[in-house]
Amino acid sequence: FLGNSLTIVRRQFICSLVGFAGLLFFWISNMKFIRKCLPFIVTAVFILCILTFIPGISIEKNGARRWIRLPFNFSLQSSEFVKFAVVLFIANLFDKQLKIQNPEDKNIFPCVLGMLLFILLVFLHKDFSTSAFIFAVCVLMFIVSGMKIAWLFPLMTILIPLVVFSILTESYRLDRIIGFLNPEEGQLDINFQSNRAKMAISAGGIWGEGIGVGIRESIKIPEVHADYIFACWAEAMGFIWVLIYFILLGFFAFRGYKAAWENDDAFSSYACFGCVSMILFQSLMNCGVVCGLFPSTGIPLPFFSSGGSSIIVTLCMCGFILNVSRNN
């Protein structure tokens, strides 16, 4: 595969080491220091998003420019870094708004504007699913923080037609919707991945077919190492280990939300909530897509899917969550 059977493993291992370095940084760093670094983090991520529009620096795949070319055949996907940056950005502004005593002086416009700017950049990368996902988590953060969401209703009158237009003008998005609504159609084209994934999950049974052995069905899924890795896991490990995975995911969410709830610092609390939500709902969405509960989105499975940017950002968010939990 790609000239060497260990190419993906080697890349994922190196990116995991980088991710663990990020985990340690956000775990042991003082929260005040992280907030001082925040302008640099947000600016760096913004620059990464802009670089994807520059030919030669960016990499085009399937008609989309979402990746930045790096030495030694590596690449970065800027939209993954937006997930963490926008959570920290919004949490920081939420904390500043809470410290304003006069209600008339409070202004959530910078929060909304910054959020929409990053989401727009991701959307312009032709990454509709990720931009919609980030928007949903940000709205959830607004609701939990108690901030006014009156801005959401007029905004939706603009976004809903835009979403419909975006789906209708891109054939592959329309095919995903059609395939989801008609699962029995398009067995060899629009529903090929989905049907193969369901077959792989069913083949796993209760106990699975064994690690490294039970991939007879999932190996037939295109790009199984990326967005559909859950099907491979289900076939090899079976229902029991799939259940254990969801139990561990639930425990992770419980501990993360508990740490966010019990922390006295508003910035830490809101950012922790956002990081946990990003990982939790992304995991549930990916598994739902593989099982046929949602249309195909292209969103990776945290900790499992192949993708250096995804594992780096996920581990950095875990480091931040551990930092908040440690300081409770």
Side-chain angles (χ1 to χ4, degrees):
F1 188 82
L2 297 179
N4 189 320
S5 60
L6 295 178
T7 298
I8 293 179
V9 176
R10 186 181 298 112
R11 288 180 183 174
Q12 198 72 2
F13 177 73
I14 294 173
C15 291
S16 295
L17 291 180
V18 176
F20 275 111
L23 183 149
L24 290 174
F25 172 81
F26 285 102
W27 185 5
I28 64 177
S29 296
N30 183 277
M31 202 59 68
K32 292 181 179 179
F33 177 72
I34 293 176
R35 294 187 73 171
K36 288 182 179 179
C37 295
L38 186 54
F40 301 99
I41 295 174
V42 172
T43 303
V45 173
F46 180 79
I47 292 173
L48 287 177
C49 290
I50 298 299
L51 290 177
T52 58
F53 297 108
I54 303 176
I57 297 178
S58 62
I59 302 173
E60 183 175 352
K61 296 180 183 178
N62 301 321
R65 291 187 178 273
R66 304 174 186 171
W67 300 267
I68 298 172
R69 192 186 309 275
L70 295 178
F72 306 107
N73 208 24
F74 281 86
S75 61
L76 283 179
Q77 188 173 358
S78 57
S79 60
E80 290 295 323
F81 294 89
V82 169
K83 295 175 183 177
F84 191 26
V86 76
V87 164
L88 297 179
F89 173 78
I90 291 177
N92 183 55
L93 292 182
F94 282 173
D95 180 57
K96 291 182 178 179
Q97 291 298 311
L98 287 175
K99 293 177 181 177
I100 298 175
Q101 299 297 326
N102 188 357
E104 295 181 356
D105 294 334
K106 293 186 177 182
N107 183 13
I108 64 169
F109 179 73
C111 304
V112 177
L113 181 62
M115 174 193 73
L116 292 179
L117 177 60
F118 274 112
I119 291 173
L120 177 62
L121 288 172
V122 175
F123 178 78
L124 292 176
H125 295 165
K126 293 189 177 181
D127 199 347
F128 175 80
S129 301
T130 301
S131 60
F133 175 74
I134 294 173
F135 178 77
V137 173
C138 289
V139 170
L140 185 61
M141 289 181 66
F142 269 89
I143 295 172
V144 170
S145 67
M147 294 289 175
K148 294 180 180 179
I149 58 170
W151 55 270
L152 181 61
F153 301 104
L155 182 63
M156 293 305 292
T157 60
I158 301 174
L159 290 181
I160 292 176
L162 179 61
V163 168
V164 174
F165 177 78
S166 300
I167 293 174
L168 295 178
T169 53
E170 291 287 353
S171 59
Y172 73 94
R173 292 173 185 160
L174 190 58
D175 287 342
R176 289 176 178 180
I177 300 297
I178 295 173
F180 173 70
L181 297 176
N182 300 279
E184 301 303 323
E185 302 294 330
Q187 300 286 331
L188 298 178
D189 41 63
I190 58 177
N191 277 324
F192 182 78
Q193 270 187 315
S194 178
N195 289 322
R196 282 294 179 183
K198 293 175 185 177
M199 292 172 64
I201 294 171
S202 298
I206 299 295
W207 302 105
E209 298 190 12
I211 298 177
V213 178
I215 56 173
R216 288 177 295 181
E217 293 296 334
S218 55
I219 197 68
K220 302 172 185 177
I221 304 173
E223 302 292 327
V224 66
H225 59 285
D227 303 338
Y228 278 77
I229 192 66
F230 179 72
C232 187
W233 168 264
E235 182 182 6
M237 305 305 293
F239 173 78
I240 296 298
W241 279 96
V242 168
L243 181 61
I244 291 174
Y245 164 73
F246 282 112
I247 291 173
L248 291 174
L249 183 63
F251 179 73
F252 165 82
F254 170 75
R255 289 289 299 159
Y257 285 138
K258 183 173 181 289
W261 177 266
E262 293 178 350
N263 198 280
D264 295 329
D265 178 54
F267 168 74
S268 302
S269 178
Y270 295 144
C272 181
F273 176 86
C275 289
V276 175
S277 297
M278 283 286 181
I279 296 173
L280 172 65
F281 293 117
Q282 185 173 325
S283 301
L284 294 176
M285 181 176 290
N286 178 278
C287 294
V289 167
V290 175
C291 295
L293 298 177
F294 307 119
S296 180
T297 61
I299 292 180
L301 181 62
F303 305 110
F304 284 84
S305 290
S306 171
S309 302
S310 176
I311 192 64
I312 290 172
V313 173
T314 300
L315 290 174
C316 286
M317 287 193 288
C318 287
F320 189 90
I321 295 167
L322 288 170
N323 192 336
V324 175
S325 179
R326 175 173 61 93
N327 291 323
N328 279 354

